[in-house]
Amino acid sequence: MNSALYSGWVQHRRFAPRVHNFRYRMGLLYLDLSEQEQVLALSPLAGRGRFAPFAFRETDYLPQLTGTGMRLIDAVRQRVSEALRRTPLGHICLLTQPRSWGLAFNPASFFYCYEADGSLAAILCEVSNTPFRERYHYVLPADGDGHQHVAVAKAFHVSPFLPRDLEYRMSFSPAGERLGIHMADWQGDEKIFDATLTLQRTELTRASLHRYLIEFPWMTGKTVAGIYWQALRLLLKRIPLFTHRAAEGDFRVARIASKDVPHEKL
């Protein structure tokens, strides 16, 4: 089975205008979209029901397309094709927080899109914001099968505590026994903020799924609560607020970062 569970740490660091850091344990599902039925059949606690403790619904992702009845795998391929003018025909694997007890929310989900020969074609990053529940996509072209380093101008309002005139610099390790993702917000030559995921893979079985539910009983709820708790802390630190602005288009294509652009080693 290509699908797996990942667990580890997420860390956020703010460098300006005031320092603010936090670090949380978290667990994520790495789902081969062709293996949905196999994964959901592992346990009676998994399924597509509204209040299942571990659930997956395709309409929680790319809703403009899946909401019309399009399969998620086809929606991902269409979005990547629109952006890169080529269609990845291999496995599509999604790194995400599964729906939990009726709640679905992901600040960011990552679709690893493979060619038919197994090589990585692209990563589609779907970003959501709160409380607006809007979606936006950054399409990240792949440069071989090793670590990926890309840069893209910010085009979507995520946090009211960060301005629009930023550049994202993202780094991804291969999705193997370990998985790392690093995203930094740069304003000119100054790094304002960064976020890092450091994860360890676990084989997906009935037993490991149950252990996941014990360790992360309501992961999505914890994520939402954490967002608002950290927002309150930022307000108390008098971090400036920025007005919500409409997204620029439906997606933006990243560029492969040149070697002279600083990036995190994962």
Side-chain angles (χ1 to χ4, degrees):
M1 185 182 289
N2 285 331
S3 301
L5 294 170
Y6 278 96
S7 61
W9 295 90
V10 60
Q11 173 183 270
H12 285 206
R13 300 184 300 176
R14 176 181 289 271
F15 306 101
R18 295 175 183 82
V19 171
H20 181 81
N21 303 324
F22 64 87
R23 187 170 180 254
Y24 290 142
R25 281 277 297 166
M26 75 179 313
L28 296 171
L29 170 66
Y30 182 76
L31 177 65
D32 185 324
L33 293 183
S34 68
E35 296 178 345
Q36 293 181 50
E37 300 308 322
Q38 290 172 257
V39 169
L40 296 180
L42 287 173
S43 168
L45 300 177
R48 302 189 193 275
R50 180 171 177 80
F51 294 112
F54 185 99
F56 183 79
R57 291 185 181 180
E58 292 200 337
T59 51
D60 289 336
Y61 307 88
L62 282 79
Q64 286 183 325
L65 299 174
T66 57
T68 67
M70 182 181 290
R71 294 191 311 159
L72 179 56
I73 194 168
D74 294 329
V76 172
R77 286 174 174 153
Q78 178 173 310
R79 182 49 45 94
V80 172
S81 178
E82 290 170 347
L84 302 182
R85 298 293 183 261
R86 65 179 189 273
T87 304
L89 297 178
H91 292 282
I92 305 293
C93 297
L94 167 61
L95 184 68
T96 191
Q97 291 178 157
R99 175 182 279 266
S100 178
W101 300 105
L103 181 61
F105 179 74
N106 276 279
S109 295
F110 303 93
F111 294 87
Y112 291 75
C113 306
Y114 295 90
E115 301 285 10
D117 64 2
S119 61
L120 184 66
I123 298 171
L124 174 65
C125 175
E126 180 175 75
V127 182
S128 303
N129 59 16
T130 178
F132 305 102
R133 303 303 294 270
E134 298 167 323
R135 308 292 180 91
Y136 194 79
H137 298 112
Y138 293 98
V139 183
L140 319 176
D143 181 21
D145 287 327
H147 286 64
Q148 307 297 321
H149 305 290
V150 299
V152 62
K154 182 180 178 181
F156 176 67
H157 176 94
V158 178
S159 167
F161 300 98
L162 288 169
R164 173 67 65 84
D165 58 331
L166 296 173
E167 180 180 69
Y168 291 140
R169 297 179 188 173
M170 306 181 193
S171 298
F172 296 80
S173 74
E177 289 304 309
R178 295 181 181 274
L179 190 156
I181 299 174
H182 180 81
M183 186 202 74
D185 292 350
W186 287 77
Q187 192 170 48
D189 295 327
E190 182 182 14
K191 183 161 73 167
I192 304 296
F193 168 88
D194 70 13
T196 305
L197 268 175
T198 307
L199 304 171
Q200 179 73 43
R201 183 185 179 104
T202 300
E203 182 183 0
L204 185 49
T205 64
R206 181 188 178 99
S208 66
L209 189 151
H210 290 168
R211 286 195 300 270
Y212 171 92
L213 289 174
I214 293 170
E215 189 173 2
F216 306 104
W218 197 27
M219 191 66 243
T220 47
K222 177 182 175 181
T223 297
V224 173
I227 288 171
Y228 285 104
W229 169 240
Q230 297 302 330
L232 176 60
R233 293 182 63 199
L234 291 172
L235 285 172
L236 293 174
K237 289 185 176 183
R238 301 184 183 276
I239 303 296
L241 292 170
F242 296 87
T243 303
H244 175 274
R245 291 162 52 189
E248 298 176 11
D250 295 325
F251 63 87
R252 180 161 284 183
V253 181
R255 71 181 190 278
I256 295 172
S258 61
K259 294 182 180 180
D260 60 338
V261 174
H263 55 258
E264 192 77 5
K265 292 182 179 179
L266 296 172

